[in-house]
Amino acid sequence: MVDLSQYLPILIFLGIALVLSSAFVFLPMAVARLTGTHQPDAEKLSEYECGFPAFEDPRSQFDVRFYLVAILFIIFDLEAAFLYPWAVSVFHLGWTAWGAMMVFIAELALGLVYAWKKGALDWE
């Protein structure tokens, strides 16, 4: 027979966490409704992040070029992340490390040329 009493402290902890998190979420809403501070009006419901009303559906699809630019940024950011530690230790690593990094940079340059020729960097 398995002794489940060892799990009682964990169950108590989860119960207390559930009660406290629910209290932190729902108690301020209940107090606002009871004290009268919950009075939505046009000023409170207006846009505050960008300053102007939305003119499109917020669930509309993004243009694929946003994703291409993001992917290219990540690729070249990773290249820089690999290049700095290599540059610090290249004299201790020898010619093999230098050749490997030149192959890596050449591959990235070919990828950049390919993206450029395909028009992934052109913005209309």
Side-chain angles (χ1 to χ4, degrees), residues 43-110:
E43 187 68 29
K44 285 183 180 180
L45 297 176
S46 66
E47 294 80 14
Y48 62 93
E49 289 182 357
C50 61
F52 55 88
F55 52 86
E56 286 185 5
D57 182 25
R59 292 177 296 275
S60 64
Q61 292 183 348
F62 282 99
D63 193 358
V64 72
R65 289 176 291 191
F66 287 109
Y67 299 111
L68 288 174
V69 170
I71 289 171
L72 288 173
F73 172 76
I74 289 172
I75 288 171
F76 288 104
D77 188 44
L78 285 175
E79 184 257 336
F82 285 132
L83 191 61
Y84 288 126
W86 171 82
V88 169
S89 62
V90 67
F91 294 117
H92 300 289
L93 297 175
W95 287 103
T96 306
W98 186 85
M101 185 55 75
M102 292 305 115
V103 169
F104 179 68
I105 290 174
E107 288 175 357
L108 283 174
L110 284 174

Side-chain angles (χ1 to χ4, degrees), residues 7-58:
Y7 293 106
L8 185 62
I10 296 172
L11 186 61
I12 292 171
F13 177 75
L14 288 175
I16 291 172
L18 181 66
V19 168
L20 284 177
S21 62
S22 298
F24 284 135
V25 170
F26 296 115
L27 194 61
M29 290 190 289
V31 169
R33 292 221 185 244
L34 292 175
T35 59
T37 56
H38 179 76
Q39 298 173 353
D41 59 359
E43 187 68 29
K44 285 183 180 180
L45 297 176
S46 66
E47 294 80 14
Y48 62 93
E49 289 182 357
C50 61
F52 55 88
F55 52 86
E56 286 185 5
D57 182 25

